[in-house]
mmCIF file of all heavy atoms in Angstrom:
data_model
loop_
_atom_site.group_PDB
_atom_site.id
_atom_site.type_symbol
_atom_site.label_atom_id
_atom_site.label_comp_id
_atom_site.label_asym_id
_atom_site.label_seq_id
_atom_site.Cartn_x
_atom_site.Cartn_y
_atom_site.Cartn_z
ATOM 1 N N SER A 233 108.940 85.552 103.244
ATOM 2 C CA SER A 233 108.799 84.672 102.078
ATOM 3 C C SER A 233 107.388 84.766 101.504
ATOM 4 O O SER A 233 106.440 85.139 102.208
ATOM 5 C CB SER A 233 109.108 83.226 102.461
ATOM 6 O OG SER A 233 108.058 82.690 103.255
ATOM 7 N N GLU A 234 107.258 84.400 100.250
ATOM 8 C CA GLU A 234 105.941 84.416 99.611
ATOM 9 C C GLU A 234 104.979 83.474 100.321
ATOM 10 O O GLU A 234 103.806 83.798 100.510
ATOM 11 C CB GLU A 234 106.065 84.037 98.132
ATOM 12 C CG GLU A 234 104.747 84.118 97.389
ATOM 13 C CD GLU A 234 104.878 83.878 95.895
ATOM 14 O OE1 GLU A 234 105.982 83.536 95.421
ATOM 15 O OE2 GLU A 234 103.860 84.043 95.208
ATOM 16 N N GLU A 235 105.471 82.326 100.754
ATOM 17 C CA GLU A 235 104.620 81.362 101.453
ATOM 18 C C GLU A 235 104.082 81.958 102.757
ATOM 19 O O GLU A 235 102.888 81.859 103.059
ATOM 20 C CB GLU A 235 105.417 80.091 101.744
ATOM 21 C CG GLU A 235 104.604 79.024 102.451
ATOM 22 C CD GLU A 235 105.421 77.765 102.754
ATOM 23 O OE1 GLU A 235 106.584 77.668 102.330
ATOM 24 O OE2 GLU A 235 104.867 76.890 103.442
ATOM 25 N N ILE A 236 104.939 82.578 103.537
ATOM 26 C CA ILE A 236 104.500 83.195 104.792
ATOM 27 C C ILE A 236 103.548 84.353 104.511
ATOM 28 O O ILE A 236 102.547 84.535 105.202
ATOM 29 C CB ILE A 236 105.707 83.644 105.638
ATOM 30 C CG1 ILE A 236 106.451 82.424 106.161
ATOM 31 C CG2 ILE A 236 105.282 84.568 106.779
ATOM 32 C CD1 ILE A 236 107.757 82.712 106.865
ATOM 33 N N PHE A 237 103.841 85.132 103.465
ATOM 34 C CA PHE A 237 102.969 86.242 103.095
ATOM 35 C C PHE A 237 101.567 85.749 102.734
ATOM 36 O O PHE A 237 100.567 86.302 103.193
ATOM 37 C CB PHE A 237 103.589 87.025 101.932
ATOM 38 C CG PHE A 237 102.726 88.146 101.423
ATOM 39 C CD1 PHE A 237 102.307 89.165 102.260
ATOM 40 C CD2 PHE A 237 102.337 88.180 100.087
ATOM 41 C CE1 PHE A 237 101.510 90.204 101.791
ATOM 42 C CE2 PHE A 237 101.551 89.219 99.609
ATOM 43 C CZ PHE A 237 101.133 90.231 100.468
ATOM 44 N N MET A 238 101.485 84.688 101.944
ATOM 45 C CA MET A 238 100.174 84.162 101.554
ATOM 46 C C MET A 238 99.424 83.593 102.760
ATOM 47 O O MET A 238 98.210 83.735 102.855
ATOM 48 C CB MET A 238 100.325 83.126 100.441
ATOM 49 C CG MET A 238 100.863 83.715 99.130
ATOM 50 S SD MET A 238 99.971 85.183 98.541
ATOM 51 C CE MET A 238 98.393 84.471 98.108
ATOM 52 N N GLU A 239 100.148 82.963 103.694
ATOM 53 C CA GLU A 239 99.515 82.483 104.928
ATOM 54 C C GLU A 239 98.977 83.655 105.739
ATOM 55 O O GLU A 239 97.885 83.593 106.315
ATOM 56 C CB GLU A 239 100.505 81.668 105.760
ATOM 57 C CG GLU A 239 100.826 80.309 105.175
ATOM 58 C CD GLU A 239 101.914 79.569 105.949
ATOM 59 O OE1 GLU A 239 102.265 80.002 107.081
ATOM 60 O OE2 GLU A 239 102.417 78.560 105.418
ATOM 61 N N TYR A 240 99.761 84.731 105.796
ATOM 62 C CA TYR A 240 99.349 85.948 106.501
ATOM 63 C C TYR A 240 98.078 86.525 105.871
ATOM 64 O O TYR A 240 97.122 86.847 106.587
ATOM 65 C CB TYR A 240 100.498 86.954 106.449
ATOM 66 C CG TYR A 240 100.163 88.341 106.948
ATOM 67 C CD1 TYR A 240 100.002 88.599 108.306
ATOM 68 C CD2 TYR A 240 100.041 89.408 106.056
ATOM 69 C CE1 TYR A 240 99.714 89.870 108.761
ATOM 70 C CE2 TYR A 240 99.749 90.686 106.509
ATOM 71 C CZ TYR A 240 99.586 90.913 107.852
ATOM 72 O OH TYR A 240 99.297 92.176 108.303
ATOM 73 N N LEU A 241 98.049 86.628 104.537
ATOM 74 C CA LEU A 241 96.854 87.147 103.859
ATOM 75 C C LEU A 241 95.648 86.257 104.113
ATOM 76 O O LEU A 241 94.538 86.742 104.348
ATOM 77 C CB LEU A 241 97.091 87.276 102.355
ATOM 78 C CG LEU A 241 97.991 88.396 101.893
ATOM 79 C CD1 LEU A 241 98.100 88.382 100.370
ATOM 80 C CD2 LEU A 241 97.504 89.762 102.372
ATOM 81 N N SER A 242 95.867 84.954 104.086
ATOM 82 C CA SER A 242 94.787 84.020 104.358
ATOM 83 C C SER A 242 94.241 84.222 105.771
ATOM 84 O O SER A 242 93.031 84.241 105.990
ATOM 85 C CB SER A 242 95.286 82.584 104.174
ATOM 86 O OG SER A 242 94.261 81.673 104.448
ATOM 87 N N SER A 243 95.145 84.416 106.725
ATOM 88 C CA SER A 243 94.743 84.669 108.105
ATOM 89 C C SER A 243 93.942 85.963 108.222
ATOM 90 O O SER A 243 92.915 86.013 108.900
ATOM 91 C CB SER A 243 95.990 84.721 108.992
ATOM 92 O OG SER A 243 95.657 85.105 110.302
ATOM 93 N N LEU A 244 94.425 87.009 107.550
ATOM 94 C CA LEU A 244 93.676 88.279 107.555
ATOM 95 C C LEU A 244 92.304 88.098 106.917
ATOM 96 O O LEU A 244 91.319 88.689 107.367
ATOM 97 C CB LEU A 244 94.447 89.365 106.806
ATOM 98 C CG LEU A 244 95.691 89.934 107.460
ATOM 99 C CD1 LEU A 244 96.318 90.992 106.546
ATOM 100 C CD2 LEU A 244 95.392 90.527 108.824
ATOM 101 N N GLY A 245 92.233 87.279 105.854
ATOM 102 C CA GLY A 245 90.966 87.024 105.174
ATOM 103 C C GLY A 245 89.975 86.253 106.019
ATOM 104 O O GLY A 245 88.776 86.292 105.769
#
Side-chain angles (χ1 to χ4, degrees):
S233 72
E234 184 174 6
E235 181 181 354
I236 291 173
F237 177 58
M238 295 309 292
E239 288 175 12
Y240 171 74
L241 287 181
S242 179
S243 174
L244 288 179

